[in-house]
Amino acid sequence: MSSNRKNQNTGTSAIWGGRFAAGPSAVMEEINTSINFDKRLYAQDIRGSKAHCKMLVSRGIIPRDDGEAILRGLDQVLQEINDGRFEFKSVQEDIHMNVESRLAEIVGEAAGRLHTARSRNDQVATDLRLWVRDSIDGLDDALQGLQRVLIGHAESHAGTVMPGFTHLQAAQPVTLGHHLLAWTEMLGRDRGRLADCRRRLNESPLGAAALAGTSFPTDRHMTAKALGFDAPMANSLDAVSDRDFALEFLSAGSVLAVHLSRMAGEIVLWCTDQFAFLRLSDSFSTGSSIMPQKRNPDAAELVRAKAGRVLGSLNTLMVVMKGLPLAYGKDMQEDKEPVFDAADSLELCIAAMTGMLAEAEFNTGKMRTALEQGFVTATDLADWLVRVLGLPFRHAHHVTGALVKTAEDRGCGLESLSLQDMQSVEPGITDDVYSVLGIDESVCSRTSYGGTAPDNVRRAAIEARQRFLED
């Protein structure tokens, strides 16, 4: 019986049927097969194969006619997958062999030349780098869109006052625009981390073969350039075994997920009746099955929760890679699902946040009313005592605390205390003190760089638009 017929009868994959007489057990096939998830790499896989094929022809490693047939066949495979006409087969294990098997059906024996001077080890490393790079580009575009919404709101609300919180207690007056620009800066750093990751991953493993390179006269610089990489990776062992780029992507993605979760957590708080700073549109709210009055910010709650998935993905791959000797181990097949899941979660969360905030309505009146509690201009009073009376700050802090206690006992705000009340604690206080006890005066006084004064916020919004949206 021929080898091919034996493979057909046993179900053994043709790529390792020569070594194994019997087919794999059902359990082995199930644990070994990755096509159910790595089929997402099809576009990158075909792109890499086309670059490799052109290089092989250019270097005279395979005949030009075969190369042209392979390229035509790969284009047909790509079209079939895009059209939904491609049959993915688990017996072929992964996306690489599914594509190559179908290519053989289309172009015949010439398809067998495509795998010259490469291995599935460098092939999958290349595919995943390309996929992560594409994902980073997509996430960057999405984050820029979210920043655009935030900056637009910040420009509209540069002078809208609201409480700034520490320990979730009203601390000092700030503007809504200032708060939204804080979110914008967080996302800007996330974009920077992803850009750093992209820069470091942008080296090509293709041509490293299984682990030791190849004896064929390949041109790895040619394939690297064709795929948009800056250069080929310098060491063949490192090229096939490195998953730093995936770990770094998941690490940057985890920080991003935490930022999105913090933003979502504030949105959840702001939507409560107790805060009532924000109203989400019907598109991003749900009701209760038994409580008809409920209006739940479920989209924000889910964004807040999905950070756990992304952090879990990072932890998963960290554990997979821990202790792996060079070079490739089948353990690395477990790199893709956490990367895919994290990327999907981040993409969805950014889209949800962008949609929520684009349609959100801010209750500016409620924000101002909330400033009537918590003695939020106490710091302004202490600063006035230092600036005008020359008191040491610690003494001014003590005087202010005593005045807050007086106002608290009388059930009024600091601005409602009489001058006599204030002078009973600190005789040097004059009528001028009332100029700093108003909410608007407090906000407008914060003119230091990065401060919340409305003019500062307007300038910061313009600068943020230039830095994040126009560059």
Side-chain angles (χ1 to χ4, degrees):
M1 182 181 295
S2 71
S3 175
N4 287 340
R5 289 184 61 192
K6 186 180 292 186
N7 289 338
Q8 292 170 3
N9 291 340
T10 63
T12 305
S13 171
I15 63 169
W16 45 290
R19 168 67 178 82
F20 294 88
S25 70
V27 172
M28 179 58 192
E29 184 172 333
E30 179 68 20
I31 197 172
N32 193 54
T33 297
S34 60
I35 187 59
N36 60 317
F37 54 83
D38 71 15
K39 62 186 177 183
R40 293 183 62 163
L41 298 173
Y42 77 89
Q44 291 78 18
D45 190 74
I46 292 173
R47 185 180 174 192
S49 289
K50 291 176 71 173
H52 185 66
C53 178
K54 291 176 182 178
M55 182 275 297
L56 293 176
V57 171
S58 173
R59 299 294 291 170
I61 298 172
I62 67 173
R64 183 170 298 277
D65 289 348
D66 286 348
E68 291 174 352
I70 289 169
L71 293 174
R72 288 195 301 272
L74 288 171
D75 284 338
Q76 181 175 330
V77 173
L78 179 62
Q79 190 62 53
E80 289 177 1
I81 298 176
N82 285 334
D83 293 344
R85 295 183 287 113
F86 189 92
E87 181 184 359
F88 293 101
K89 300 175 181 178
S90 61
V91 71
Q92 297 298 339
E93 295 185 16
D94 55 34
I95 185 59
H96 323 298
M97 295 314 304
N98 268 264
V99 169
E100 187 171 327
S101 175
R102 176 60 183 140
L103 181 65
E105 293 174 354
I106 296 171
V107 306
E109 189 173 300
R113 299 189 184 279
L114 175 60
H115 210 54
T116 306
R118 75 173 183 184
S119 162
R120 282 193 294 176
N121 293 356
D122 62 329
Q123 190 177 358
V124 67
T126 302
D127 291 357
L128 189 57
R129 279 177 184 265
L130 290 172
W131 193 94
V132 171
R133 192 177 71 184
D134 291 343
S135 181
I136 288 173
D137 292 343
L139 290 174
D140 186 73
D141 287 344
L143 285 169
Q144 188 179 58
L146 177 51
Q147 287 180 306
R148 181 172 288 107
V149 170
L150 290 170
I151 292 169
H153 282 314
E155 289 170 332
S156 299
H157 293 284
T160 299
V161 293
M162 64 173 289
F165 297 91
T166 61
H167 306 281
L168 204 54
Q169 300 180 61
Q172 290 181 271
V174 297
T175 68
L176 174 57
H178 193 57
H179 195 114
L180 297 176
L181 287 179
W183 288 355
T184 304
E185 292 295 329
M186 291 160 62
L187 297 177
R189 292 191 297 275
D190 290 317
R191 291 179 64 191
R193 274 182 283 271
L194 288 170
D196 287 344
C197 175
R198 191 192 194 283
R199 177 176 55 82
R200 267 183 291 276
L201 73 76
N202 207 37
E203 295 182 343
S204 174
L206 189 58
L211 76 162
T214 177
S215 59
F216 290 95
T218 57
D219 184 348
R220 292 188 60 210
H221 288 86
M222 177 181 175
T223 52
K225 182 178 180 180
L227 295 172
F229 289 114
D230 295 328
M233 294 185 72
N235 183 282
S236 60
L237 280 169
D238 182 49
V240 299
S241 62
D242 166 54
R243 293 299 182 272
D244 294 0
F245 68 95
L247 290 169
E248 187 172 2
F249 171 68
L250 292 174
S251 179
S254 293
V255 178
L256 167 58
V258 168
H259 282 164
L260 293 171
S261 182
R262 293 183 69 185
M263 293 167 61
E266 289 197 282
I267 289 175
V268 172
L269 284 173
W270 290 2
C271 286
T272 62
D273 290 338
Q274 290 75 17
F275 276 78
F277 289 178
L278 181 69
R279 179 181 176 87
L280 296 180
S281 69
D282 291 346
S283 302
F284 291 94
S285 303
T286 65
S288 166
S289 61
I290 64 170
M291 296 174 284
Q293 83 280 10
K294 293 298 292 299
R295 183 183 180 86
N296 301 322
D298 281 9
E301 291 172 349
L302 288 167
V303 170
R304 183 174 60 181
K306 283 186 181 294
R309 292 182 69 131
V310 181
L311 292 166
S313 293
L314 172 61
N315 191 56
T316 295
L317 189 54
M318 284 284 194
V319 174
V320 167
M321 297 304 296
K322 177 191 65 65
L324 283 188
L326 297 178
Y328 181 83
K330 193 70 170 183
D331 316 53
M332 292 184 193
Q333 182 168 291
E334 293 296 312
D335 60 356
K336 296 166 199 65
E337 287 184 288
V339 168
F340 294 158
D341 189 78
D344 290 345
S345 295
L346 290 169
E347 181 181 7
L348 180 59
C349 288
I350 296 168
M353 289 296 295
T354 303
M356 277 189 285
L357 289 167
E359 299 179 8
E361 297 178 6
F362 294 99
N363 188 340
T364 58
K366 187 68 174 180
M367 290 178 176
R368 176 174 280 274
T369 300
L371 287 164
E372 296 174 1
Q373 302 175 0
F375 307 102
V376 293
T377 59
T379 303
D380 299 273
L381 173 56
D383 288 347
W384 183 91
L385 292 170
V386 172
R387 187 173 58 251
V388 177
L389 300 189
L391 300 184
F393 183 79
R394 289 303 174 196
H395 181 50
H397 186 282
H398 177 78
V399 169
T400 302
L403 291 172
V404 167
K405 180 65 168 58
T406 300
E408 193 173 45
D409 290 342
R410 298 189 181 182
C412 67
L414 286 169
E415 71 282 359
S416 297
L417 291 176
S418 69
L419 182 59
Q420 183 179 2
D421 290 332
M422 293 192 180
Q423 289 176 337
S424 68
V425 176
E426 172 50 58
I429 294 177
T430 67
D431 280 334
D432 181 64
V433 73
Y434 294 102
S435 67
V436 301
L437 297 181
I439 298 301
D440 294 303
E441 289 80 5
S442 171
V443 168
C444 289
S445 72
R446 304 295 172 180
T447 57
S448 61
Y449 182 80
T452 191
D455 287 343
N456 277 27
V457 174
R458 292 184 186 97
R459 286 192 296 269
I462 292 171
E463 192 270 340
R465 184 174 292 279
Q466 293 170 343
R467 186 156 41 103
F468 295 127
L469 307 184
E470 296 176 9
D471 289 350

